[in-house]
Amino acid sequence: MLTPIFYVTANRKAGLRSELAFWEKWIRTKGSEWPEDFKRRLDPHSAAAGYHLQVLERIGADTIHILDVGAGPLTTIGKRYQEKTLIIKACDPLADEYKKILDRYSIKAPVVTEKCDGERLGEKYQSNYFDWVNAQNCVDHSSDPVKVIREMIQITKVGGFISLCHEVNEAKLEAYRGLHQWNFYESDGNFMVSGKYGYQLNLTDEFKKDLVLTMWIDQDNWIYVIGEKGEIQ
Ligand SMILES: C[S@@+](CC[C@H](N)C(=O)[O-])C[C@H]1O[C@@H](n2cnc3c(N)ncnc32)[C@H](O)[C@@H]1O
């Protein structure tokens, strides 16, 4: 359990307040420096894009059940993919606060973010249910990234997928400020996490019984991991 390490340095309440301030400005200004991203997230007909396509093309079903974890106020997941039906849910610990801000600006989210911590997905969502559970730029904000990934696996169907996308070594880049306490990176082909005081764990090993991983790092130094859930041993 990594939560105690998180709390040695992190003030979670202050971190969540600053996260909320960021998203309040993003909503008030219709996307801050990213107006196109704001429009795309609000568009109920936006096409799936980026690494999401690499997950979607591996799912055979015509109706695809998706959960975006740590989604913020408006999920980044596109609402259309080929002729398939995407049934998208989104969750975030700050969901209630995000809803109040969206209501204040009369903005209607195409997918309403529900309140749930990544560490507690199994309490809210059915086990072995989703075809795809995504988490981007958020597991490094959690108090226990290993538990978040474990819970993501629990609610994913056998043969379904989890995906993770984070800037490499985000906590180091952010000097361990606010919620940023965890670094994701690659070492000798393994997916790794580290925190302060020398903590590190090989996630490829940790989840080798549950997931077959595909991993790559893009030119902007973001690490992407897609894990296919195998039969539980
Ligand atoms: C930088 S935002 C990213 C939002 C969205 N995934 C995106 O890419 O635009 C980080 C999000 O992580 C959420 N977060 C913080 N702690 C979390 C946790 N324990 N589990 C899941 N999400 C968490 C924050 O509330 C915030 O909405």
Side-chain angles (χ1 to χ4, degrees), residues 1-7 143-147 182 193 199 201:
M1 295 295 278
L2 301 182
T3 302
I5 301 180
F6 178 90
Y7 280 108
S143 59
D144 189 336
V146 178
K147 181 143 171 57
W182 306 110
V193 64
Y199 172 81
L201 183 72

mmCIF file with all atom_site columns, all heavy atoms in Angstrom, residues 1-7 143-147 182 193 199 201:
data_model
loop_
_atom_site.group_PDB
_atom_site.id
_atom_site.type_symbol
_atom_site.label_atom_id
_atom_site.label_alt_id
_atom_site.label_comp_id
_atom_site.label_asym_id
_atom_site.label_entity_id
_atom_site.label_seq_id
_atom_site.pdbx_PDB_ins_code
_atom_site.Cartn_x
_atom_site.Cartn_y
_atom_site.Cartn_z
_atom_site.occupancy
_atom_site.B_iso_or_equiv
_atom_site.pdbx_formal_charge
_atom_site.auth_seq_id
_atom_site.auth_comp_id
_atom_site.auth_asym_id
_atom_site.auth_atom_id
_atom_site.pdbx_PDB_model_num
ATOM 1   N N   . MET A 1 1   ? 0.839  -1.194 0.000   1.00 0.00 ? 1   MET A N   1
ATOM 2   C CA  . MET A 1 1   ? 0.000  0.000  0.000   1.00 0.00 ? 1   MET A CA  1
ATOM 3   C C   . MET A 1 1   ? 0.877  1.248  0.000   1.00 0.00 ? 1   MET A C   1
ATOM 4   O O   . MET A 1 1   ? 1.690  1.433  0.899   1.00 0.00 ? 1   MET A O   1
ATOM 5   C CB  . MET A 1 1   ? -0.910 -0.008 1.229   1.00 0.00 ? 1   MET A CB  1
ATOM 6   C CG  . MET A 1 1   ? -1.911 -1.146 1.221   1.00 0.00 ? 1   MET A CG  1
ATOM 7   S SD  . MET A 1 1   ? -3.091 -1.027 -0.124  1.00 0.00 ? 1   MET A SD  1
ATOM 8   C CE  . MET A 1 1   ? -4.250 0.123  0.592   1.00 0.00 ? 1   MET A CE  1
ATOM 9   N N   . LEU A 1 2   ? 0.712  2.079  -1.002  1.00 0.00 ? 2   LEU A N   1
ATOM 10  C CA  . LEU A 1 2   ? 1.620  3.226  -1.165  1.00 0.00 ? 2   LEU A CA  1
ATOM 11  C C   . LEU A 1 2   ? 1.105  4.501  -0.529  1.00 0.00 ? 2   LEU A C   1
ATOM 12  O O   . LEU A 1 2   ? 1.834  5.484  -0.433  1.00 0.00 ? 2   LEU A O   1
ATOM 13  C CB  . LEU A 1 2   ? 1.834  3.470  -2.660  1.00 0.00 ? 2   LEU A CB  1
ATOM 14  C CG  . LEU A 1 2   ? 2.424  2.274  -3.397  1.00 0.00 ? 2   LEU A CG  1
ATOM 15  C CD1 . LEU A 1 2   ? 2.648  2.623  -4.847  1.00 0.00 ? 2   LEU A CD1 1
ATOM 16  C CD2 . LEU A 1 2   ? 3.730  1.861  -2.746  1.00 0.00 ? 2   LEU A CD2 1
ATOM 17  N N   . THR A 1 3   ? -0.161 4.514  -0.093  1.00 0.00 ? 3   THR A N   1
ATOM 18  C CA  . THR A 1 3   ? -0.746 5.751  0.434   1.00 0.00 ? 3   THR A CA  1
ATOM 19  C C   . THR A 1 3   ? 0.124  6.409  1.518   1.00 0.00 ? 3   THR A C   1
ATOM 20  O O   . THR A 1 3   ? 0.306  7.626  1.492   1.00 0.00 ? 3   THR A O   1
ATOM 21  C CB  . THR A 1 3   ? -2.173 5.476  0.925   1.00 0.00 ? 3   THR A CB  1
ATOM 22  O OG1 . THR A 1 3   ? -2.906 4.956  -0.202  1.00 0.00 ? 3   THR A OG1 1
ATOM 23  C CG2 . THR A 1 3   ? -2.859 6.717  1.438   1.00 0.00 ? 3   THR A CG2 1
ATOM 24  N N   . PRO A 1 4   ? 0.704  5.640  2.477   1.00 0.00 ? 4   PRO A N   1
ATOM 25  C CA  . PRO A 1 4   ? 1.540  6.299  3.492   1.00 0.00 ? 4   PRO A CA  1
ATOM 26  C C   . PRO A 1 4   ? 2.715  7.071  2.884   1.00 0.00 ? 4   PRO A C   1
ATOM 27  O O   . PRO A 1 4   ? 3.055  8.153  3.371   1.00 0.00 ? 4   PRO A O   1
ATOM 28  C CB  . PRO A 1 4   ? 2.035  5.132  4.359   1.00 0.00 ? 4   PRO A CB  1
ATOM 29  C CG  . PRO A 1 4   ? 1.025  4.053  4.155   1.00 0.00 ? 4   PRO A CG  1
ATOM 30  C CD  . PRO A 1 4   ? 0.545  4.202  2.745   1.00 0.00 ? 4   PRO A CD  1
ATOM 31  N N   . ILE A 1 5   ? 3.339  6.534  1.831   1.00 0.00 ? 5   ILE A N   1
ATOM 32  C CA  . ILE A 1 5   ? 4.462  7.249  1.193   1.00 0.00 ? 5   ILE A CA  1
ATOM 33  C C   . ILE A 1 5   ? 3.951  8.566  0.616   1.00 0.00 ? 5   ILE A C   1
ATOM 34  O O   . ILE A 1 5   ? 4.560  9.619  0.759   1.00 0.00 ? 5   ILE A O   1
ATOM 35  C CB  . ILE A 1 5   ? 5.099  6.406  0.052   1.00 0.00 ? 5   ILE A CB  1
ATOM 36  C CG1 . ILE A 1 5   ? 5.607  5.077  0.581   1.00 0.00 ? 5   ILE A CG1 1
ATOM 37  C CG2 . ILE A 1 5   ? 6.213  7.189  -0.642  1.00 0.00 ? 5   ILE A CG2 1
ATOM 38  C CD1 . ILE A 1 5   ? 6.247  4.189  -0.478  1.00 0.00 ? 5   ILE A CD1 1
ATOM 39  N N   . PHE A 1 6   ? 2.767  8.497  -0.032  1.00 0.00 ? 6   PHE A N   1
ATOM 40  C CA  . PHE A 1 6   ? 2.158  9.702  -0.628  1.00 0.00 ? 6   PHE A CA  1
ATOM 41  C C   . PHE A 1 6   ? 2.016  10.800 0.429   1.00 0.00 ? 6   PHE A C   1
ATOM 42  O O   . PHE A 1 6   ? 2.375  11.943 0.207   1.00 0.00 ? 6   PHE A O   1
ATOM 43  C CB  . PHE A 1 6   ? 0.791  9.318  -1.201  1.00 0.00 ? 6   PHE A CB  1
ATOM 44  C CG  . PHE A 1 6   ? 0.025  10.468 -1.807  1.00 0.00 ? 6   PHE A CG  1
ATOM 45  C CD1 . PHE A 1 6   ? 0.165  10.785 -3.144  1.00 0.00 ? 6   PHE A CD1 1
ATOM 46  C CD2 . PHE A 1 6   ? -0.852 11.218 -1.044  1.00 0.00 ? 6   PHE A CD2 1
ATOM 47  C CE1 . PHE A 1 6   ? -0.561 11.821 -3.708  1.00 0.00 ? 6   PHE A CE1 1
ATOM 48  C CE2 . PHE A 1 6   ? -1.576 12.257 -1.590  1.00 0.00 ? 6   PHE A CE2 1
ATOM 49  C CZ  . PHE A 1 6   ? -1.438 12.560 -2.931  1.00 0.00 ? 6   PHE A CZ  1
ATOM 50  N N   . TYR A 1 7   ? 1.507  10.417 1.606   1.00 0.00 ? 7   TYR A N   1
ATOM 51  C CA  . TYR A 1 7   ? 1.185  11.432 2.614   1.00 0.00 ? 7   TYR A CA  1
ATOM 52  C C   . TYR A 1 7   ? 2.409  11.958 3.367   1.00 0.00 ? 7   TYR A C   1
ATOM 53  O O   . TYR A 1 7   ? 2.291  12.928 4.099   1.00 0.00 ? 7   TYR A O   1
ATOM 54  C CB  . TYR A 1 7   ? 0.120  10.919 3.587   1.00 0.00 ? 7   TYR A CB  1
ATOM 55  C CG  . TYR A 1 7   ? -1.256 11.034 2.969   1.00 0.00 ? 7   TYR A CG  1
ATOM 56  C CD1 . TYR A 1 7   ? -1.947 9.920  2.544   1.00 0.00 ? 7   TYR A CD1 1
ATOM 57  C CD2 . TYR A 1 7   ? -1.835 12.287 2.776   1.00 0.00 ? 7   TYR A CD2 1
ATOM 58  C CE1 . TYR A 1 7   ? -3.199 10.034 1.947   1.00 0.00 ? 7   TYR A CE1 1
ATOM 59  C CE2 . TYR A 1 7   ? -3.083 12.405 2.184   1.00 0.00 ? 7   TYR A CE2 1
ATOM 60  C CZ  . TYR A 1 7   ? -3.754 11.276 1.767   1.00 0.00 ? 7   TYR A CZ  1
ATOM 61  O OH  . TYR A 1 7   ? -4.986 11.398 1.173   1.00 0.00 ? 7   TYR A OH  1
ATOM 62  N N   . SER A 1 143 ? -3.085 8.650  -4.687  1.00 0.00 ? 143 SER A N   1
ATOM 63  C CA  . SER A 1 143 ? -2.243 8.356  -3.522  1.00 0.00 ? 143 SER A CA  1
ATOM 64  C C   . SER A 1 143 ? -1.641 6.953  -3.627  1.00 0.00 ? 143 SER A C   1
ATOM 65  O O   . SER A 1 143 ? -0.615 6.687  -3.021  1.00 0.00 ? 143 SER A O   1
ATOM 66  C CB  . SER A 1 143 ? -3.033 8.525  -2.221  1.00 0.00 ? 143 SER A CB  1
ATOM 67  O OG  . SER A 1 143 ? -4.138 7.665  -2.224  1.00 0.00 ? 143 SER A OG  1
ATOM 68  N N   . ASP A 1 144 ? -2.255 6.051  -4.423  1.00 0.00 ? 144 ASP A N   1
ATOM 69  C CA  . ASP A 1 144 ? -1.724 4.689  -4.533  1.00 0.00 ? 144 ASP A CA  1
ATOM 70  C C   . ASP A 1 144 ? -1.881 4.173  -5.969  1.00 0.00 ? 144 ASP A C   1
ATOM 71  O O   . ASP A 1 144 ? -2.885 3.544  -6.310  1.00 0.00 ? 144 ASP A O   1
ATOM 72  C CB  . ASP A 1 144 ? -2.460 3.766  -3.550  1.00 0.00 ? 144 ASP A CB  1
ATOM 73  C CG  . ASP A 1 144 ? -1.792 2.396  -3.460  1.00 0.00 ? 144 ASP A CG  1
ATOM 74  O OD1 . ASP A 1 144 ? -1.098 2.002  -4.417  1.00 0.00 ? 144 ASP A OD1 1
ATOM 75  O OD2 . ASP A 1 144 ? -1.977 1.720  -2.436  1.00 0.00 ? 144 ASP A OD2 1
ATOM 76  N N   . PRO A 1 145 ? -0.868 4.452  -6.810  1.00 0.00 ? 145 PRO A N   1
ATOM 77  C CA  . PRO A 1 145 ? -1.005 4.078  -8.235  1.00 0.00 ? 145 PRO A CA  1
ATOM 78  C C   . PRO A 1 145 ? -1.139 2.573  -8.460  1.00 0.00 ? 145 PRO A C   1
ATOM 79  O O   . PRO A 1 145 ? -1.825 2.154  -9.390  1.00 0.00 ? 145 PRO A O   1
ATOM 80  C CB  . PRO A 1 145 ? 0.290  4.600  -8.868  1.00 0.00 ? 145 PRO A CB  1
ATOM 81  C CG  . PRO A 1 145 ? 1.237  4.842  -7.749  1.00 0.00 ? 145 PRO A CG  1
ATOM 82  C CD  . PRO A 1 145 ? 0.417  5.117  -6.520  1.00 0.00 ? 145 PRO A CD  1
ATOM 83  N N   . VAL A 1 146 ? -0.526 1.763  -7.599  1.00 0.00 ? 146 VAL A N   1
ATOM 84  C CA  . VAL A 1 146 ? -0.608 0.311  -7.805  1.00 0.00 ? 146 VAL A CA  1
ATOM 85  C C   . VAL A 1 146 ? -2.037 -0.164 -7.550  1.00 0.00 ? 146 VAL A C   1
ATOM 86  O O   . VAL A 1 146 ? -2.588 -0.976 -8.288  1.00 0.00 ? 146 VAL A O   1
ATOM 87  C CB  . VAL A 1 146 ? 0.415  -0.427 -6.900  1.00 0.00 ? 146 VAL A CB  1
ATOM 88  C CG1 . VAL A 1 146 ? 0.298  -1.938 -7.080  1.00 0.00 ? 146 VAL A CG1 1
ATOM 89  C CG2 . VAL A 1 146 ? 1.832  0.036  -7.221  1.00 0.00 ? 146 VAL A CG2 1
ATOM 90  N N   . LYS A 1 147 ? -2.661 0.422  -6.524  1.00 0.00 ? 147 LYS A N   1
ATOM 91  C CA  . LYS A 1 147 ? -4.056 0.048  -6.234  1.00 0.00 ? 147 LYS A CA  1
ATOM 92  C C   . LYS A 1 147 ? -4.977 0.521  -7.364  1.00 0.00 ? 147 LYS A C   1
ATOM 93  O O   . LYS A 1 147 ? -5.907 -0.197 -7.757  1.00 0.00 ? 147 LYS A O   1
ATOM 94  C CB  . LYS A 1 147 ? -4.489 0.649  -4.892  1.00 0.00 ? 147 LYS A CB  1
ATOM 95  C CG  . LYS A 1 147 ? -5.907 0.296  -4.495  1.00 0.00 ? 147 LYS A CG  1
ATOM 96  C CD  . LYS A 1 147 ? -6.024 0.080  -2.993  1.00 0.00 ? 147 LYS A CD  1
ATOM 97  C CE  . LYS A 1 147 ? -7.446 -0.057 -2.493  1.00 0.00 ? 147 LYS A CE  1
ATOM 98  N NZ  . LYS A 1 147 ? -8.219 -1.119 -3.106  1.00 0.00 ? 147 LYS A NZ  1
ATOM 99  N N   . TRP A 1 182 ? 4.283  10.536 -8.110  1.00 0.00 ? 182 TRP A N   1
ATOM 100 C CA  . TRP A 1 182 ? 4.682  9.269  -8.737  1.00 0.00 ? 182 TRP A CA  1
ATOM 101 C C   . TRP A 1 182 ? 5.235  9.490  -10.128 1.00 0.00 ? 182 TRP A C   1
ATOM 102 O O   . TRP A 1 182 ? 4.689  10.266 -10.909 1.00 0.00 ? 182 TRP A O   1
ATOM 103 C CB  . TRP A 1 182 ? 3.475  8.313  -8.803  1.00 0.00 ? 182 TRP A CB  1
ATOM 104 C CG  . TRP A 1 182 ? 2.845  8.120  -7.462  1.00 0.00 ? 182 TRP A CG  1
ATOM 105 C CD1 . TRP A 1 182 ? 1.624  8.580  -7.060  1.00 0.00 ? 182 TRP A CD1 1
ATOM 106 C CD2 . TRP A 1 182 ? 3.401  7.456  -6.325  1.00 0.00 ? 182 TRP A CD2 1
ATOM 107 N NE1 . TRP A 1 182 ? 1.383  8.237  -5.763  1.00 0.00 ? 182 TRP A NE1 1
ATOM 108 C CE2 . TRP A 1 182 ? 2.468  7.544  -5.282  1.00 0.00 ? 182 TRP A CE2 1
ATOM 109 C CE3 . TRP A 1 182 ? 4.604  6.790  -6.084  1.00 0.00 ? 182 TRP A CE3 1
ATOM 110 C CZ2 . TRP A 1 182 ? 2.698  7.003  -4.022  1.00 0.00 ? 182 TRP A CZ2 1
ATOM 111 C CZ3 . TRP A 1 182 ? 4.821  6.249  -4.825  1.00 0.00 ? 182 TRP A CZ3 1
ATOM 112 C CH2 . TRP A 1 182 ? 3.884  6.346  -3.821  1.00 0.00 ? 182 TRP A CH2 1
ATOM 113 N N   . VAL A 1 193 ? 7.282  2.268  -11.785 1.00 0.00 ? 193 VAL A N   1
ATOM 114 C CA  . VAL A 1 193 ? 6.806  3.437  -11.039 1.00 0.00 ? 193 VAL A CA  1
ATOM 115 C C   . VAL A 1 193 ? 7.815  3.701  -9.925  1.00 0.00 ? 193 VAL A C   1
ATOM 116 O O   . VAL A 1 193 ? 8.385  2.773  -9.364  1.00 0.00 ? 193 VAL A O   1
ATOM 117 C CB  . VAL A 1 193 ? 5.383  3.217  -10.460 1.00 0.00 ? 193 VAL A CB  1
ATOM 118 C CG1 . VAL A 1 193 ? 5.318  2.107  -9.429  1.00 0.00 ? 193 VAL A CG1 1
ATOM 119 C CG2 . VAL A 1 193 ? 4.820  4.507  -9.863  1.00 0.00 ? 193 VAL A CG2 1
ATOM 120 N N   . TYR A 1 199 ? 11.631 4.612  -3.312  1.00 0.00 ? 199 TYR A N   1
ATOM 121 C CA  . TYR A 1 199 ? 10.609 3.611  -3.630  1.00 0.00 ? 199 TYR A CA  1
ATOM 122 C C   . TYR A 1 199 ? 10.561 3.376  -5.133  1.00 0.00 ? 199 TYR A C   1
ATOM 123 O O   . TYR A 1 199 ? 10.509 4.333  -5.914  1.00 0.00 ? 199 TYR A O   1
ATOM 124 C CB  . TYR A 1 199 ? 9.216  4.080  -3.158  1.00 0.00 ? 199 TYR A CB  1
ATOM 125 C CG  . TYR A 1 199 ? 8.143  3.147  -3.656  1.00 0.00 ? 199 TYR A CG  1
ATOM 126 C CD1 . TYR A 1 199 ? 7.882  1.957  -2.991  1.00 0.00 ? 199 TYR A CD1 1
ATOM 127 C CD2 . TYR A 1 199 ? 7.457  3.421  -4.843  1.00 0.00 ? 199 TYR A CD2 1
ATOM 128 C CE1 . TYR A 1 199 ? 6.948  1.070  -3.478  1.00 0.00 ? 199 TYR A CE1 1
ATOM 129 C CE2 . TYR A 1 199 ? 6.518  2.533  -5.334  1.00 0.00 ? 199 TYR A CE2 1
ATOM 130 C CZ  . TYR A 1 199 ? 6.272  1.364  -4.649  1.00 0.00 ? 199 TYR A CZ  1
ATOM 131 O OH  . TYR A 1 199 ? 5.351  0.483  -5.142  1.00 0.00 ? 199 TYR A OH  1
ATOM 132 N N   . LEU A 1 201 ? 8.953  0.257  -8.150  1.00 0.00 ? 201 LEU A N   1
ATOM 133 C CA  . LEU A 1 201 ? 8.326  -1.048 -8.359  1.00 0.00 ? 201 LEU A CA  1
ATOM 134 C C   . LEU A 1 201 ? 8.244  -1.310 -9.859  1.00 0.00 ? 201 LEU A C   1
ATOM 135 O O   . LEU A 1 201 ? 7.929  -0.413 -10.651 1.00 0.00 ? 201 LEU A O   1
ATOM 136 C CB  . LEU A 1 201 ? 6.900  -1.028 -7.763  1.00 0.00 ? 201 LEU A CB  1
ATOM 137 C CG  . LEU A 1 201 ? 6.139  -2.352 -7.838  1.00 0.00 ? 201 LEU A CG  1
ATOM 138 C CD1 . LEU A 1 201 ? 6.720  -3.379 -6.859  1.00 0.00 ? 201 LEU A CD1 1
ATOM 139 C CD2 . LEU A 1 201 ? 4.652  -2.140 -7.514  1.00 0.00 ? 201 LEU A CD2 1
#
